[in-house]
Amino acid sequence: MTVGDNSGMQRNTRQRAAILETLSRQDDFRSAQQIHEQMKADGETVGLATVYRNLQVLSRSDRLDVLVAGDGEALYRQCEDTGHHHHLVCRECGRTVEFLAPKLENAMTAIAHEHGFTDVDHTLEVFGLCSDHAEGGVETR
Amino acid sequence: MTVGDNSGMQRNTRQRAAILETLSRQDDFRSAQQIHEQMKADGETVGLATVYRNLQVLSRSDRLDVLVAGDGEALYRQCEDTGHHHHLVCRECGRTVEFLAPKLENAMTAIAHEHGFTDVDHTLEVFGLCSDHAEGGVETR
DNA sequence: CTGCTCGTGAGAATGATTGTCATGACGCTC
DNA sequence: GAGCGTCATGACAATCATTCTCACGAGCAG
Ligand SMILES: [Mn+2]
Ligand SMILES: [Mn+2]
Ligand SMILES: [Zn+2]
Ligand SMILES: [Zn+2]
């Protein structure tokens, strides 16, 4: 407990590497099961529980982003920006754009402080239709 | 099918009234099961499935607010403001403050448009510690 | 190399939510 | 107020994502 305490360290396993590799080839949010399916299709042999565990560990260490879908399912994505940021997600195809919004951050914090809240945190996701899936089509109104 | 078409109408049932009454006495977000427990404790006899169904119906018609917790559980609350608004929730006690933020709304929409997204929507919740649960050294109770 | 641990995998278990379906309650009509 | 078509309800089963269990094998420090 005193010397060589490697608590917090993670071992390098073939499975984790494979999961990260798979994620690096995806550009939208995917569920643990979808990722597992993908890996199986690619010939990787990794247990489903292992996928779940690694996704959790990786998201906890901010190497992955998590998005809780409307039905409560957790979706994961490897983001380019490693810092705090938000997402603009297409409801139709899942296409995702990362964005920073310092003004929003400050405004939210300010509102919280006005109400006496401290240690502020937040969840913010924006959904819409990307240019490829713009609605209406013929409805030239 | 032609006359007296009451599609979209809801019947007035003792169960729904009881659920709304129970919600009106709560001021923080509660899960379907918690609400069901509360009702049972109050001597109400309502099936769990009925509680789930009514909470869904009521939230779909904007008579209730839903908040998907980090673990995916759906939490419900009867809000004072019936229009679009957001929440400031205490992580410790669940105390909730509703707030409007037109500037944030516009900023988010603008960002989405800049990236070619339309039909924009969003989820935004702010968490923190309320004044009664402020963290820190001064734990002078 | 050797051993101590931690990560893994297969399957069982959990737990919130939803589906099933017979029965009862609502709100109209007359 | 009685009759009726429908929808809501409730008990319970079923679903399904996620977590747990635990024997086993693979990292890695010494
Ligand atoms: Mn933010
Ligand atoms: Mn908003
Ligand atoms: Zn799209
Ligand atoms: Zn509080």
Side-chain angles (χ1 to χ4, degrees):
Chain A
M1 299 297 198
T2 49
V3 182
D5 187 333
N6 68 341
S7 60
M9 292 289 288
Q10 302 292 336
R11 290 178 180 174
N12 293 323
T13 66
R14 165 182 65 80
Q15 290 85 345
R16 175 168 307 151
I19 291 169
L20 281 170
E21 198 280 327
T22 300
L23 283 164
S24 72
R25 288 186 288 105
Q26 300 293 162
D27 68 326
D28 52 356
F29 283 89
R30 295 289 177 87
S31 72
Q33 313 226 26
Q34 287 178 312
I35 293 165
H36 182 244
E37 289 297 322
Q38 177 70 62
M39 297 184 72
K40 211 160 47 175
D42 292 349
E44 299 283 353
T45 60
V46 176
L48 177 58
T50 298
V51 173
Y52 271 102
R53 278 186 298 244
N54 276 289
L55 290 175
Q56 282 178 180
V57 169
L58 290 168
S59 64
R60 238 177 264 135
S61 60
D62 292 316
R63 300 183 60 186
L64 287 184
D65 265 28
V66 195
L67 171 54
V68 178
D71 63 338
E73 197 174 12
L75 306 177
Y76 299 86
R77 179 176 190 263
Q78 194 178 47
C79 283
E80 287 153 28
D81 189 326
T82 58
H84 177 80
H85 64 270
H86 298 279
H87 304 105
L88 184 50
V89 184
C90 176
R91 270 191 296 272
E92 208 56 46
C93 67
R95 178 177 156 192
T96 301
V97 175
E98 300 170 33
F99 69 86
L100 291 177
K103 289 180 183 174
L104 293 188
E105 307 288 339
N106 295 333
M108 283 187 274
T109 303
I111 290 172
H113 287 167
E114 282 171 23
H115 290 280
F117 279 65
T118 52
D119 195 6
V120 181
D121 189 8
H122 61 256
T123 64
L124 165 61
E125 306 291 346
V126 182
F127 301 93
L129 295 173
C130 77
S131 51
D132 291 347
H133 294 90
E135 203 169 358
V138 200
E139 296 180 45
T140 53
R141 68 149 295 249
Chain B
M1 300 297 197
T2 49
V3 182
D5 187 333
N6 66 341
S7 60
M9 294 289 288
Q10 302 294 335
R11 289 180 179 174
N12 294 323
T13 65
R14 166 182 65 79
Q15 290 86 345
R16 174 168 307 151
I19 290 169
L20 281 170
E21 198 280 327
T22 300
L23 283 164
S24 72
R25 289 186 288 104
Q26 301 293 161
D27 68 326
D28 51 356
F29 283 89
R30 296 289 177 87
S31 71
Q33 313 227 23
Q34 286 178 312
I35 292 165
H36 182 245
E37 289 297 321
Q38 177 71 60
M39 297 184 73
K40 211 162 46 176
D42 292 348
E44 299 284 353
T45 59
V46 176
L48 178 57
T50 299
V51 173
Y52 271 102
R53 279 186 295 244
N54 275 290
L55 290 175
Q56 281 176 180
V57 169
L58 290 168
S59 65
R60 238 177 265 135
S61 60
D62 291 315
R63 299 183 60 184
L64 287 183
D65 265 29
V66 195
L67 171 54
V68 178
D71 63 337
E73 197 174 12
L75 306 176
Y76 300 85
R77 179 177 190 264
Q78 194 178 47
C79 283
E80 287 154 27
D81 190 326
T82 58
H84 176 80
H85 63 271
H86 298 280
H87 304 105
L88 185 50
V89 184
C90 176
R91 271 191 295 273
E92 208 56 46
C93 67
R95 178 177 155 193
T96 301
V97 175
E98 300 169 33
F99 70 86
L100 291 177
K103 289 180 184 174
L104 293 188
E105 306 289 340
N106 295 333
M108 283 187 275
T109 304
I111 289 172
H113 287 168
E114 283 171 22
H115 290 280
F117 280 65
T118 52
D119 195 5
V120 181
D121 188 7
H122 61 257
T123 65
L124 165 61
E125 305 292 345
V126 182
F127 300 94
L129 295 174
C130 77
S131 51
D132 291 347
H133 295 91
E135 200 171 356
V138 195
E139 189 74 27
T140 54
R141 58 145 298 168

